[in-house]
């Protein structure tokens, strides 16, 4: 595929540098002399350059970037021997884990073509993903245990932009997607850093309410949904900025509109339907319907991508159980924009969601001091995967269930009650 224009010209460089500044100062809260590891699609080079500049201006020790590229990924699927699909660069992830142990922070730029692998052999895709997940574990654990400050942000890749805005020409689509990213990231406010301070305070208010209530379960009802999600023993709600174990308060996701906690891996009952398509590593999975018994998915259907969904569920035992439940009002700026981003970082912030797989140990009271066995005993799930999918809409109601059985309205028609 040829690009007949320079993508950089479609993106406002002043706003792009503001996005980089927000990523470094709010997202990472990068510390003086702290090293930084960046992973990014090669198309995101202009953003990587601004982030690197902002990081050094903030006093970064050493910034190291690893790039990925769509064409080289596809070359593997077209030409690599079959055995290649069970391989992954474990040495790289071990090196990253070592850097995090040494105090480095982590920044990931998402923005790959969501349909990149859609026409590839699903068996090869799932084997490659599995090999990569296993190899990635030493590095991912530092992130999911929140050992270090980390942050993920996005760059508008042309293929992604065309999917989000199919009626626009490529250049206009990239410009529109860039604007949607800037707006969702509060870059279009007069003082984005101050706007994030205010928004973080609002999210804290919601999570404090839920932590005060200590619900034993949440009950979701809506079209195709009647789901009771038991919450883990000693669960804790989080939202917005939070403190990593290295003592740095960062905003891992920008944008973020969610408050979230850990469900009980054995106490989820009923059925639930997705309300938005899920873009999973290059494949679209749509109209998901699953049924839970004693926390485990016993039946799973999808109108599109059902094969991929079932392969995901077979990754390991924990892949059929929940690791996260998150509440997002339907009126969140991302939902109000009406844009479907086909990207979890954005779409999960338009809607209440649940995640299959690994839980976050920080979503427990005193989570930093719990061992993996204690987390498991309290109902925390473990898995190689963590995949969010959207179950909220303006037709979904949520009640909190107290231990004594009383019901408290939490959300009505998608809004905080
Ligand atoms: Zn979430
Ligand atoms: Zn999640």
């Amino acid at each position: 595929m040829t690009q007949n224009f320079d993508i950089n010209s479609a993106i406002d460089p002043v706003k792009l540098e503001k996005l980089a500044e927000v990523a470094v100062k709010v997202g990472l809260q990068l510390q003086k002399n702290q090293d930084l590891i960046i992973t990014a699609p090669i198309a995101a080079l202009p953003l990587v350059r601004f982030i690197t500049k902002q990081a050094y201006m903030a006093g970064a020790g050493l910034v190291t970037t690893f790039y990925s590229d769509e064409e080289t990924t596809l070359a593997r699927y077209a030409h690599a021997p079959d055995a290649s699909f069970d391989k992954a660069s474990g040495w790289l992830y071990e090196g990253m884990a070592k850097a995090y142990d040494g105090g480095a922070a982590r920044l990931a730029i998402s923005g790959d073509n969501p349909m990149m692998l859609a026409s590839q052999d699903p068996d090869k895709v799932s084997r490659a993903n599995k090999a990569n997940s296993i190899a990635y574990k030493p590095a991912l654990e530092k992130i999911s245990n929140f050992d270090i400050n980390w942050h993920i942000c996005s760059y508008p890749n042309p293929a992604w932009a065309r999917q989000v805005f199919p009626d626009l020409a490529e250049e206009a689509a990239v410009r529109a997607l860039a604007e949607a990213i800037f707006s969702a990231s509060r870059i279009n406010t007069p003082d984005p850093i101050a706007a994030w301070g205010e928004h973080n305070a609002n999210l804290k208010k919601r999570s404090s309410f839920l932590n005060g209530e200590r619900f034993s379960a949440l009950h979701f009802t809506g079209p195709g949904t009647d789901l009771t999600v038991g919450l883990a023993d000693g669960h804790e709600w989080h939202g917005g900025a939070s403190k990593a174990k290295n003592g740095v308060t960062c905003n891992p996701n920008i944008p973020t509109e969610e408050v979230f906690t850990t469900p009980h891996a054995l106490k989820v009952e009923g059925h639930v339907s997705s309300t938005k398509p899920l873009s999973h590593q290059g494949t679209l999975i749509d109209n998901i319907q699953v049924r839970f018994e004693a926390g485990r998915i016993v039946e799973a259907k999808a109108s599109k991508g059902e094969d991929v969904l079932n392969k995901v569920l077979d990754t390991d035992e924990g892949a059929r159980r929940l690791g996260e439940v998150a509440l997002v009002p339907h009126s969140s700026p991302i939902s109000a924009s009406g844009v479907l981003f086909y990207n979890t970082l954005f779409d999960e912030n338009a809607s209440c969601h649940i995640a299959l797989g690994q839980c976050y140990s920080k979503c427990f009271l005193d989570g930093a001091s719990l061992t993996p066995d204690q987390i498991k005993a309290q109902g925390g799930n473990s898995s190689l995967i963590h995949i969010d999918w959207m179950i909220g809409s303006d037709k979904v109601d949520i009640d909190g269930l107290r231990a004594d059985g009383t019901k408290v309205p939490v959300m009505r028609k998608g809004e905080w009650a």
Side-chain angles (χ1 to χ4, degrees):
M1 193 189 318
T2 53
Q3 245 169 257
N4 54 6
F5 74 101
D6 176 8
I7 184 177
N8 301 334
S9 67
I11 300 170
D12 182 337
V14 175
K15 290 182 182 176
L16 193 64
E17 182 154 17
K18 269 196 184 159
L19 185 69
E21 189 185 354
V22 165
V24 169
K25 292 184 181 165
V26 179
L28 287 170
Q29 289 278 1
L30 195 71
Q31 304 293 295
K32 288 227 167 1
N33 295 314
Q34 192 175 21
D35 291 349
L36 175 61
I37 293 180
I38 302 175
T39 53
I42 194 89
L45 187 58
L47 180 57
V48 174
R49 286 177 173 160
F50 279 135
I51 288 172
T52 304
K53 175 183 159 193
Q54 288 288 333
Y56 283 125
M57 283 165 64
L62 182 65
V63 181
T64 307
T65 304
F66 297 93
Y67 294 99
S68 58
D69 167 60
E70 184 171 341
E71 294 212 12
T72 50
T73 301
L74 291 175
R76 182 186 184 194
Y77 281 88
H79 305 294
D82 187 69
S84 166
F85 297 93
D86 299 313
K87 282 191 174 178
S89 306
W91 54 270
L92 175 63
Y93 300 129
E94 281 161 25
M96 284 183 179
K98 206 168 154 185
Y100 302 153
D101 284 339
R106 160 93 166 104
L107 187 143
I109 300 177
S110 76
D112 284 326
N113 173 5
M115 299 307 285
M116 177 169 70
L117 301 176
S119 54
Q120 304 304 321
D121 175 358
D123 181 56
K124 283 184 178 172
V125 174
S126 101
R127 280 164 59 207
N129 285 342
K130 186 169 183 180
N132 195 64
S133 295
I134 292 169
Y136 191 36
K137 208 167 179 193
L140 183 63
E141 272 174 357
K142 315 275 176 201
I143 306 295
S144 54
N145 293 336
F146 210 21
D147 286 351
I148 55 158
N149 46 328
W150 62 273
H151 175 63
I152 177 165
C153 59
S154 295
Y155 192 79
N157 154 316
W160 177 24
R162 279 199 312 270
Q163 188 182 17
V164 177
F165 298 102
D167 301 334
L168 299 181
E170 189 164 84
E171 186 169 358
V174 169
R175 183 174 292 120
L177 181 55
E179 281 303 317
I181 291 172
F182 294 142
S183 148
S185 308
R186 295 177 162 74
I187 298 304
N188 291 339
T189 56
D191 183 349
I193 310 263
W196 274 98
E198 202 177 303
H199 180 51
N200 276 327
N202 280 333
L203 291 170
K204 179 116 276 162
K205 212 161 65 187
R206 298 297 179 195
S207 55
S208 299
F209 156 71
L210 291 161
N211 284 327
E213 282 286 356
R214 303 230 52 79
F215 292 125
S216 63
L218 296 176
H219 183 209
F220 292 75
T221 46
T225 292
D226 184 349
L227 183 73
T228 302
V229 178
L231 300 180
D233 304 335
H235 68 271
E236 187 170 55
W237 290 88
H238 284 266
S242 53
K243 198 177 189 175
K245 284 185 197 165
N246 66 359
V248 181
T249 299
C250 63
N251 262 95
N253 290 357
I254 288 183
T256 185
E257 305 290 336
E258 61 172 344
V259 292
F260 58 102
T261 195
T262 304
H264 196 296
L266 308 178
K267 297 182 183 171
V268 182
E269 301 285 347
H271 57 273
V272 61
S273 300
S274 64
T275 50
K276 286 172 188 287
L278 165 64
S279 167
H280 175 66
Q281 296 183 324
T283 315
L284 211 61
I285 309 176
D286 205 0
N287 296 310
I288 302 172
Q289 284 182 299
V290 302
R291 192 162 62 78
F292 287 89
E293 272 177 23
R296 190 171 187 274
I297 293 178
V298 292
E299 207 181 311
K301 285 187 285 194
S303 67
K304 213 188 264 175
E306 187 172 299
D307 280 5
V308 177
L309 174 65
N310 278 302
K311 285 213 162 74
V312 164
L313 294 176
D314 287 337
T315 307
D316 54 24
E317 175 55 27
R320 288 183 179 269
R321 297 179 187 275
L322 295 187
E324 179 194 346
V325 58
L327 305 182
V328 179
H330 183 71
S331 61
S332 87
I334 295 169
S335 175
S337 76
V339 175
L340 179 63
F341 285 84
Y342 298 95
N343 178 312
T344 303
L345 180 60
F346 291 85
D347 293 327
E348 76 160 349
N349 284 299
S351 163
C352 292
H353 55 272
I354 48 181
L356 302 170
Q358 182 64 41
C359 73
Y360 290 107
S361 62
K362 74 163 181 177
C363 289
F364 285 96
L365 295 165
D366 208 15
S369 67
L370 296 176
T371 65
D373 282 344
Q374 285 169 319
I375 286 171
K376 189 179 176 191
Q378 289 182 219
N381 192 32
S382 70
S383 171
L384 291 170
I385 64 160
H386 177 100
I387 298 171
D388 299 275
W389 50 286
M390 281 36 95
I391 62 165
S393 75
D394 57 357
K395 294 177 187 67
V396 174
D397 291 340
I398 304 170
D399 288 309
L401 306 180
R402 291 188 177 135
D404 65 6
T406 32
K407 275 189 177 186
V408 179
V410 172
M411 285 188 152
R412 285 292 174 269
K413 297 194 186 307
E415 299 303 325
W416 290 104

